[in-house]
Amino acid sequence: AVYFTFPYDEAVTSEALREFLEGQHDFKYATLVHCDTPSGMLNPVEELSRLLHEYNIMTVVDSVSAMFGEPLCVDEGMIDEIKRLLENGGSAEDLIYYGLEYKFVTEYVIGKLSYEEMLRQLEIAIHQFAKRQMTWFRGMERRGIKIEWIDGTQPMDQRVEAILASI
């Protein structure tokens, strides 16, 4: 396994990743986190994915923490990425376990869903997942665990201020 590490509370820069890749790029897949939940840090995943693609490295993005707070679109880039993963020997069965986006886009790419069905079913699945998360967090509160709720619709600087004020 190859590891590129970066402080969890800082966004990965394309410059730092490029420097790493110049010396170490003998791997096929990279995983990125879109948003680090505790710190609120957002990685520029579109920029980093493009850079990894220059080295023929496929990208798997964990975007669950950023869901509904920051846009991460299902676009031609993600569709192309899944097509490349499948063309390079990845299996559809494996891809559907990488996350909701991967599941539904893979089903679109292999012809199981139309584009409109993919978007509609993905939106429903995301809402269902978010509802399960809220139920889980509310259960934690009922068990006496204090949760500091941050308004995800606020600008990032206000969210950071709210987090720092609660520490």
Coordinates of all heavy atoms in Angstrom, one line a residue, residues 133-147:
Q133 N -29.0 8.6 9.3 CA -28.0 9.2 10.1 C -28.6 10.1 11.2 O -28.2 10.1 12.4 CB -27.1 10.1 9.3 CG -26.0 9.4 8.5 CD -25.1 10.4 7.8 OE1 -25.5 11.4 7.3 NE2 -23.8 10.0 7.8
M134 N -29.6 10.9 10.9 CA -30.3 11.7 11.9 C -30.9 10.9 13.0 O -30.9 11.2 14.1 CB -31.3 12.6 11.2 CG -30.7 13.7 10.3 SD -29.5 14.8 11.2 CE -30.6 15.5 12.5
T135 N -31.6 9.8 12.6 CA -32.1 8.9 13.6 C -31.1 8.4 14.5 O -31.3 8.3 15.8 CB -32.9 7.7 12.9 OG1 -33.9 8.2 12.0 CG2 -33.5 6.7 13.9
W136 N -29.9 8.0 14.0 CA -28.8 7.5 14.8 C -28.3 8.6 15.8 O -28.1 8.3 16.9 CB -27.7 7.0 13.9 CG -26.6 6.3 14.6 CD1 -26.5 5.1 15.1 CD2 -25.3 6.9 14.8 NE1 -25.3 4.8 15.6 CE2 -24.5 5.9 15.4 CE3 -24.7 8.1 14.4 CZ2 -23.2 6.1 15.8 CZ3 -23.3 8.3 14.8 CH2 -22.6 7.3 15.5
F137 N -28.1 9.8 15.3 CA -27.7 10.9 16.1 C -28.7 11.2 17.2 O -28.3 11.5 18.3 CB -27.3 12.1 15.3 CG -26.0 12.0 14.5 CD1 -26.0 12.2 13.2 CD2 -24.8 11.8 15.2 CE1 -24.8 12.1 12.5 CE2 -23.6 11.8 14.6 CZ -23.6 11.9 13.2
R138 N -30.0 11.3 16.8 CA -31.0 11.5 17.8 C -31.0 10.5 18.9 O -31.2 10.7 20.1 CB -32.4 11.6 17.2 CG -32.5 12.8 16.2 CD -32.5 14.1 16.8 NE -32.8 15.1 15.8 CZ -32.3 16.3 15.8 NH1 -31.5 16.7 16.8 NH2 -32.5 17.2 14.9
G139 N -30.8 9.2 18.5 CA -30.7 8.1 19.5 C -29.5 8.4 20.5 O -29.6 8.1 21.7
M140 N -28.4 8.9 19.9 CA -27.2 9.2 20.8 C -27.6 10.3 21.8 O -27.3 10.1 23.0 CB -26.1 9.7 19.9 CG -25.4 8.6 19.1 SD -24.1 9.2 18.1 CE -22.9 9.8 19.3
E141 N -28.4 11.3 21.3 CA -28.8 12.3 22.2 C -29.7 11.8 23.3 O -29.6 12.2 24.5 CB -29.5 13.4 21.5 CG -28.6 14.3 20.7 CD -29.3 15.5 20.0 OE1 -30.4 15.3 19.4 OE2 -28.7 16.6 20.0
R142 N -30.6 10.9 23.0 CA -31.5 10.3 23.9 C -30.7 9.5 25.0 O -31.2 9.4 26.1 CB -32.6 9.4 23.2 CG -33.7 10.2 22.6 CD -34.9 9.3 22.2 NE -34.5 8.2 21.2 CZ -34.4 8.4 19.9 NH1 -34.6 9.6 19.4 NH2 -34.0 7.4 19.1
R143 N -29.6 8.9 24.6 CA -28.8 8.2 25.5 C -27.8 9.1 26.3 O -27.0 8.6 27.1 CB -28.0 7.1 24.8 CG -28.8 6.0 24.2 CD -28.0 4.9 23.6 NE -27.1 5.3 22.5 CZ -27.5 5.4 21.3 NH1 -28.7 5.2 20.9 NH2 -26.6 5.7 20.3
G144 N -28.0 10.4 26.2 CA -27.3 11.4 27.0 C -26.0 11.9 26.4 O -25.2 12.6 27.0
I145 N -25.7 11.5 25.1 CA -24.5 12.0 24.5 C -24.8 13.4 23.9 O -25.7 13.6 23.1 CB -24.0 11.0 23.4 CG1 -23.7 9.7 24.0 CG2 -22.8 11.6 22.6 CD1 -23.5 8.6 23.1
K146 N -24.0 14.4 24.3 CA -24.2 15.8 23.8 C -23.6 15.9 22.4 O -22.5 15.6 22.1 CB -23.5 16.8 24.7 CG -23.8 18.2 24.4 CD -23.2 19.1 25.5 CE -23.4 20.6 25.3 NZ -23.9 21.1 24.1
I147 N -24.5 16.5 21.5 CA -24.0 16.7 20.1 C -24.2 18.2 19.9 O -25.2 18.8 20.2 CB -24.9 15.9 19.1 CG1 -24.7 14.4 19.4 CG2 -24.6 16.3 17.7 CD1 -25.6 13.5 18.5

